[in-house]
């Protein structure tokens, strides 16, 4: 399990390892400490068919939003953070509620919602995905899954699972 905590000063990305029966096999361990002047949200992790663990999360520093990634071979030592370079969207708008799904070996989908615009306190959000054909090193231009035209409804929290037939099923909150 990967989780996010925050105290008054910093964000903490942490791991927790459970046994198949649900008992704690390894207590909370910190992957990274991120300054609270930034914004961090919705970590997601997947074990790729290569055996590598791939972690992604929403991130903002200054006025720039991105999705950051880290990898691990053993779920205890993690790479430094780097940005998933996803084209087609402005970095001035929030990306949030990240989820991951490996469709086939090295074909990794990253799903997220994207803030299109704001009207007062209402937000227009749509669900997007990007595909990596090399296990998360490079990413395709973002593709919209929903196309809500205004703030009266929006797509949030997209999640995809691979079906036994090889296709993907996507669910999201409206």
């Amino acid at each position: 399990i990967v989780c996010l905590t925050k105290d008054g000063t910093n964000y903490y990305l942490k791991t927790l390892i459970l046994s198949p029966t649900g008992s704690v096999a390894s207590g909370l361990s910190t992957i990274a400490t991120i300054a609270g002047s930034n914004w961090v949200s919705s970590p997601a992790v997947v074990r790729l068919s290569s055996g590598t663990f791939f972690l992604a999360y929403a991130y903002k520093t200054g006025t720039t939003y991105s999705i950051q990634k880290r990898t691990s071979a053993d779920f205890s030592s993690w790479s430094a953070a780097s940005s998933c370079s996803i084209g087609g969207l402005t970095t001035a708008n929030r990306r949030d509620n990240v989820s991951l799904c490996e469709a086939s070996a090295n074909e990794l989908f990253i799903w997220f919602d994207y803030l299109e615009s704001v009207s007062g306190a209402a937000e227009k959000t749509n669900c997007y995905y990007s595909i990596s054909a090399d296990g998360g090193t490079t990413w395709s231009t973002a593709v919209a899954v929903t196309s809500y035209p205004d703030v009266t409804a929006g797509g949030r929290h997209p999640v995809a699972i691979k079906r036994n037939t090889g296709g993907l099923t996507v669910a999201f909150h409206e």
Side-chain angles (χ1 to χ4, degrees):
I1 296 174
V2 173
C3 63
L4 179 68
T5 63
K6 185 179 181 189
D7 61 17
T9 307
N10 296 310
Y11 289 94
Y12 302 92
L13 283 168
K14 297 187 175 202
T15 61
L16 175 68
I17 300 173
L18 302 177
S19 74
T21 61
S23 61
V24 175
S26 178
L28 283 174
S29 176
T30 301
I31 297 170
T33 301
I34 302 167
S37 58
N38 299 306
W39 172 80
V40 182
S41 180
S42 63
V45 66
V46 65
R47 185 172 187 257
L48 303 176
S49 56
S50 66
T52 299
F53 294 96
F54 188 94
L55 167 65
Y57 51 94
Y59 181 75
K60 179 186 178 194
T61 184
T63 59
T64 303
Y65 288 92
S66 65
I67 295 175
Q68 297 288 301
K69 64 182 177 180
R70 294 172 183 263
T71 58
S72 175
D74 59 7
F75 212 69
S76 54
S77 305
W78 291 85
S79 68
S82 62
S83 181
C84 294
S85 183
I86 300 170
L89 303 173
T90 176
T91 59
N93 292 9
R94 185 186 69 223
R95 302 156 193 222
D96 199 4
N97 300 307
V98 176
S99 69
L100 299 164
C101 179
E102 185 181 43
S104 61
N106 286 325
E107 186 181 42
L108 181 60
F109 281 71
I110 192 163
W111 299 82
F112 55 95
D113 57 58
Y114 178 72
L115 177 64
E116 305 268 352
S117 64
V118 176
S119 177
E123 298 181 340
K124 175 184 165 187
T125 57
N126 278 295
C127 297
Y128 284 78
Y129 72 86
S130 178
I131 303 172
S132 173
D134 55 16
T137 302
T138 60
W139 294 92
S140 70
T141 298
V143 176
V145 178
T146 60
S147 57
Y148 292 97
D150 56 40
V151 298
T152 58
R156 300 282 311 250
H157 300 270
V159 177
I161 59 165
K162 182 179 175 184
R163 299 174 63 187
N164 290 339
T165 59
L168 297 178
T169 297
V170 181
F172 62 91
H173 175 57
E174 180 178 77

